[in-house]
Amino acid sequence: MKDVWKKFDETEPSHSSIHHLMAVYHLHQKNGYARGIDIANYLNITRGSVSITLTKLRDKNYLTEDENKFYHLTEQGQQLVSSALNKRHIVKRFFSEVLQLPAEVAELDACKIEHLLSNETGEKLICFMGYYLSEKPEVLNFRLGFQQFKYKCQSVAECRLCESDCFFSGKEISKTG
Amino acid sequence: MKDVWKKFDETEPSHSSIHHLMAVYHLHQKNGYARGIDIANYLNITRGSVSITLTKLRDKNYLTEDENKFYHLTEQGQQLVSSALNKRHIVKRFFSEVLQLPAEVAELDACKIEHLLSNETGEKLICFMGYYLSEKPEVLNFRLGFQQFKYKCQSVAECRLCESDCFFSGKEISKTG
DNA sequence: AACTTTTGTTTTATTAATAAAACATCGGTA
DNA sequence: TACCGATGTTTTATTAATAAAACAAAAGTT
C-alpha cells in the first residue's frame, strides 16, 4: 500500500472539522441550539475561525444554518458524530476496563484516535467488549487469570511481542503497575 | 482537561517528523545508510521537503548528519522510533489476532494511531497480549468461547456498549463477519 | 578538463487551521 | 431614534507541511 503513512491527516473531514460537528451535537444536547459563538467558546478558538470552518462544512452538507444562525447537523453530519463518539466510547472502555489504564489516559488516548479508526475496527472492538463483559464462566476465569498475570519482557532477542529495540525490555508489566 | 481535542496534532515531534525518523531507521536496516534522496523516495515526497524537515530534526537533536550527508539517529531519535514501532506492532497484532481484522485494515489503523498512543497504553497492551497469547487453559477457553460468540446489538435504548445514536444498532457482529 | 547526472538547498507558492483585527449587522434600550 | 453590545464575516497574517523550480555542489564520464 503506497503512502499509508500519509493517510493520517487525510481523513475527510479532518479531525478539526469533526470536532466542530461534535461541538454542534454537544451544544444541542446541552442548550438546545448551537450558534457560532457557542462553538467557538466550546472549542476555545475564535469566532472567525469557526465561521470559516462551518461555512465549508455547510457547503459539504454536514450541517445547515437556519434563519437564526443556529446550526443543525444533517443526517450525514450526525452519522459522522455518532461514529466518532461510539468509537471513542468503546475504545475508552477497552482502555480503562480491560487494560486498566487510569481514566485520564484512557480518555485522552481514546479522543486522539477516535476518528482515525475504521468503523470495522470499532465494530470488532464492540464485539470483543460484548464478550469480555459477559458473565460467561470462561470469561470470568480469563479475567481472573489476567488479574494475576505479570508480563515479564525477556531480553530483546527473546521478546515475542515487541519489534527489535524493544523499549519495554527488562520491565515487568502488570495490569496495575 | 482543557482542549483535549487539540492535543491531537500537537504531538511533539509531529506525525510527519516521526515518519522521517522511521524512514532513517528503515533505510539503515535495509541499506546501511540513509541520505536525503533515499528518505524522499521512501516517503514519496520531494528532496526539498526532506531537506527542510531533517534540518529541523537535526537542530532538535533527533539525528545527526555526517561528512557524507548520511543521517544517523541519535539516542533520542532512536527511542522515538522504537516507541512508535513497538506500539504499531502490538496494536497491529491486537487488531489482527484478537479482533480478527483483515491484515490491511489492521496495518492501516495501527499506522494511523501508533504515535498518538501513550507509552503507558502500549505497555498495557503488551501485557494483555502476553496473556492472551499464552497457552494457559483459561485463556484457551476464552479464545474458544470468543470464536463462537456473536454480539447482537440491541435497540438503541438497550445497547450497553455504544453511546446514544448507536450506529451499529441492529447489526449482528461476530469475529468473522 | 568539460559535460552530465545526482544530490542537496533555497526560494516561491499552496493549503489547512488558526489568530487578530476590522468591519457589518442586528437587537435592545437610554 | 441613536447608540451600545453581542454576534457573525472578512481580511490579513502566521505556521507546518508540502510541491516545484531554480540554484549549487559534488561525483562520474567522456
Side-chain angles (χ1 to χ4, degrees):
Chain A
M1 237 178 321
K2 204 73 192 295
D3 296 338
V4 167
W5 76 279
K6 286 189 191 168
K7 298 256 166 61
F8 167 75
D9 53 5
E10 281 172 6
T11 4
E12 182 42 37
S14 69
H15 176 78
S16 168
S17 290
I18 290 182
H19 275 276
H20 281 71
L21 296 175
M22 290 202 292
V24 173
Y25 177 79
H26 174 87
L27 291 163
H28 262 281
Q29 296 239 298
K30 202 178 124 209
N31 306 331
Y33 63 85
R35 296 168 307 165
I37 183 78
D38 304 313
I39 298 165
N41 290 150
Y42 183 70
L43 295 177
N44 216 29
I45 56 181
T46 64
R47 280 171 296 149
S49 300
V50 168
S51 177
I52 292 164
T53 303
L54 288 211
T55 301
K56 283 187 211 145
L57 289 174
R58 197 231 296 130
D59 294 345
K60 289 183 190 158
N61 258 297
Y62 292 118
L63 43 73
T64 58
E65 219 174 326
D66 67 23
E67 331 76 59
N68 309 303
K69 296 266 167 202
F70 290 172
Y71 291 104
H72 304 271
L73 293 174
T74 60
E75 180 68 27
Q76 208 191 148
Q78 178 58 53
Q79 217 167 300
L80 274 177
V81 170
S82 296
S83 167
L85 243 32
N86 280 314
K87 280 181 272 186
R88 169 147 97 209
H89 183 70
I90 200 68
V91 168
K92 191 187 153 190
R93 288 195 69 171
F94 173 75
F95 284 165
S96 63
E97 292 173 48
V98 180
L99 301 188
Q100 306 268 294
L101 283 161
E104 313 77 52
V105 180
E107 179 81 44
L108 183 57
D109 277 16
C111 176
K112 286 196 286 190
I113 70 177
E114 83 208 345
H115 82 291
L116 292 170
L117 294 177
S118 62
N119 283 350
E120 205 174 346
T121 302
E123 290 177 19
K124 290 294 170 69
L125 195 51
I126 284 180
C127 179
F128 177 81
M129 289 302 287
Y131 181 60
Y132 189 88
L133 296 170
S134 75
E135 297 297 305
K136 293 174 194 289
E138 72 268 27
V139 172
L140 293 175
N141 281 329
F142 177 89
R143 298 212 296 248
L144 224 57
F146 188 37
Q147 211 69 257
Q148 248 84 60
F149 182 76
K150 293 206 187 308
Y151 181 68
K152 170 81 170 128
C153 199
Q154 267 78 42
S155 72
V156 171
E158 298 161 44
C159 180
R160 295 154 32 246
L161 292 175
C162 311
E163 300 234 289
S164 56
D165 298 305
C166 169
F167 74 141
F168 301 122
S169 172
K171 265 193 187 168
E172 185 175 83
I173 303 168
S174 69
K175 283 191 78 166
T176 46
Chain B
M1 240 179 316
K2 203 76 190 295
D3 296 336
V4 167
W5 75 280
K6 285 189 192 168
K7 297 255 164 64
F8 167 74
D9 54 4
E10 281 173 6
T11 5
E12 184 41 35
S14 69
H15 176 76
S16 168
S17 291
I18 289 182
H19 276 275
H20 281 70
L21 297 175
M22 291 201 293
V24 173
Y25 177 79
H26 174 86
L27 291 163
H28 261 281
Q29 296 240 298
K30 201 179 125 213
N31 306 330
Y33 62 85
R35 295 168 307 165
I37 183 77
D38 305 312
I39 298 164
N41 290 150
Y42 183 70
L43 295 177
N44 216 29
I45 56 181
T46 64
R47 283 171 294 151
S49 301
V50 168
S51 176
I52 292 164
T53 304
L54 287 213
T55 301
K56 282 189 210 142
L57 290 173
R58 197 232 295 131
D59 294 346
K60 288 182 190 159
N61 257 297
Y62 292 118
L63 42 74
T64 58
E65 220 174 325
D66 66 23
E67 331 76 58
N68 310 301
K69 295 268 169 205
F70 291 172
Y71 291 104
H72 304 271
L73 293 173
T74 60
E75 179 68 26
Q76 208 189 148
Q78 178 58 53
Q79 217 168 299
L80 274 176
V81 169
S82 296
S83 167
L85 243 32
N86 280 315
K87 278 181 271 185
R88 170 147 97 209
H89 183 70
I90 200 69
V91 168
K92 192 188 152 189
R93 289 196 69 171
F94 173 75
F95 283 166
S96 63
E97 294 174 45
V98 179
L99 301 187
Q100 306 267 295
L101 284 161
E104 312 76 54
V105 181
E107 179 80 44
L108 182 58
D109 277 18
C111 177
K112 286 197 287 190
I113 70 177
E114 84 207 345
H115 81 291
L116 292 169
L117 293 178
S118 62
N119 284 351
E120 204 173 347
T121 301
E123 289 178 19
K124 290 294 170 69
L125 195 52
I126 284 179
C127 179
F128 177 80
M129 288 302 286
Y131 181 61
Y132 189 88
L133 297 170
S134 75
E135 298 297 307
K136 292 173 195 289
E138 72 268 27
V139 173
L140 293 175
N141 281 330
F142 178 88
R143 298 212 298 246
L144 224 59
F146 188 35
Q147 210 70 256
Q148 247 85 59
F149 182 76
K150 293 205 186 309
Y151 181 68
K152 171 81 172 126
C153 199
Q154 265 78 45
S155 72
V156 172
E158 297 161 44
C159 180
R160 297 152 32 246
L161 292 176
C162 311
E163 298 235 289
S164 57
D165 297 305
C166 170
F167 74 142
F168 301 121
S169 171
K171 265 194 189 166
E172 184 175 83
I173 303 170
S174 69
K175 281 190 82 170
T176 46

